[in-house]
Amino acid sequence: MSNQLAREGESGGLHARVLAELGPAIASGDHPPGTVLRIDELERRYGVSRTVVREAVRVLEAMHLVETRRRVGITVRPTEAWNVFDPAVIRWRLAGADRPRQLRSLTMLRTAVEPVAAGLAAVAATPEQCRDLTLLAAEMAAAGRASDLRAYLVHDIAFHRVTLLASGNEMFARLGDVVAEVLTGRTEHHVMFSTPDPEAVTLHVRVAEAVRARDVEAAERLMREICVGALRELDILA
């Protein structure tokens, strides 16, 4: 039994390695749509078994990046077919040359959704969620003063997750992973100011206050300012 578990663990690690290399290669355009990949070629390229390659391909199929057809091989699908909301796809695309356009597209999505979510949160947030937003905004302010981008990112992601969840809309709540990847990508690829923008920090504090005060209009307006500010930051850095 222990040998079987060891083999399964090894296979999982190899599958993850193939996925971590092949996924970004597809998402970045190294293998453009229409490219046909063959399992035996991938076996040789990555030095893994056919089973490992198939496991990785199954994941890519679930993301709609590729499709497998008998006697044809593995074909890279058109980008419009991809599951662009999958966190891994977002991560891979942000790591490629198309990063600026991807960040703008994702930030525009945030601008359309998060203000509405904040307004809904001002109605539906529980006392615990109101408390969490207040504490997270305070943690963001502290991390900003210390120029601790890593801590700032952790609290920023948590703040937006709570806001989306507190909206009471399950569709908005599921976008928490999308927003997390956007915020993480901005930090890891240095597509943001070297220190957190004090104005943005203040806006987060004010959003928390508006949600706690049940001020729908203010919560929505202030969150829109945060998202528009993120777009403006992209323009400045571009």
Side-chain angles (χ1 to χ4, degrees):
M1 179 65 74
S2 60
N3 288 338
Q4 180 182 351
L5 290 174
R7 286 194 298 272
E8 290 175 353
E10 181 180 1
S11 174
L14 292 172
H15 142 263
R17 177 173 66 78
V18 172
L19 195 61
E21 294 184 31
L22 183 55
I26 293 172
S28 67
D30 289 346
H31 301 306
T35 299
V36 176
L37 305 169
R38 301 194 180 280
I39 287 181
D40 55 349
E41 294 173 354
L42 295 174
E43 286 180 66
R44 290 192 296 271
R45 182 184 305 169
Y46 297 111
V48 296
S49 69
R50 181 171 294 258
T51 299
V52 169
V53 171
R54 282 177 171 164
E55 287 175 355
V57 169
R58 275 197 292 269
V59 176
L60 296 173
E61 284 182 305
M63 297 174 177
H64 300 170
L65 267 64
V66 302
E67 62 180 348
T68 303
R69 287 184 289 175
R70 191 181 299 276
R71 292 190 293 274
V72 174
I74 304 155
T75 305
V76 178
R77 301 185 67 184
T79 54
E80 56 265 26
W82 296 359
N83 180 5
V84 294
F85 290 104
D86 188 291
V89 175
I90 292 173
R91 189 181 321 125
W92 295 338
R93 297 181 87 182
L94 289 179
D98 200 30
R99 182 184 307 131
R101 190 175 71 85
Q102 289 303 310
L103 275 174
R104 171 165 289 280
S105 176
L106 289 161
T107 305
M108 290 177 71
L109 172 67
R110 292 184 59 200
T111 304
V113 171
E114 289 200 75
V116 178
L120 291 172
V123 175
T126 66
E128 291 77 14
Q129 289 168 332
C130 290
R131 182 198 62 216
D132 289 345
L133 288 175
T134 299
L135 291 174
L136 287 166
E139 294 285 2
M140 288 177 66
R145 287 192 297 271
S147 297
D148 187 341
L149 285 180
R150 182 54 54 184
Y152 185 88
L153 172 63
V154 170
H155 301 311
D156 196 14
I157 289 173
F159 184 95
H160 289 278
R161 281 191 186 279
V162 172
T163 302
L164 290 165
L165 182 63
S167 72
N169 183 297
E170 61 184 6
M171 298 297 180
F172 287 175
R174 289 298 299 273
L175 290 175
D177 289 342
V178 172
V179 174
E181 290 297 338
V182 177
L183 296 174
T184 300
R186 289 176 57 210
T187 300
E188 291 187 346
H189 298 294
H190 310 291
V191 194
M192 63 177 294
F193 297 143
S194 57
T195 57
D197 181 7
E199 181 180 350
V201 175
T202 299
L203 285 171
H204 282 78
V205 173
R206 293 179 64 193
V207 167
E209 292 172 347
V211 171
R212 189 173 64 248
R214 307 300 182 186
D215 190 333
V216 175
E217 182 179 347
E220 185 169 342
R221 173 175 50 80
L222 292 164
M223 184 61 83
R224 181 167 288 106
E225 288 186 39
I226 290 173
C227 296
V228 170
L231 277 172
R232 187 166 55 246
E233 189 171 315
L234 290 177
D235 290 334
I236 292 171
L237 292 172

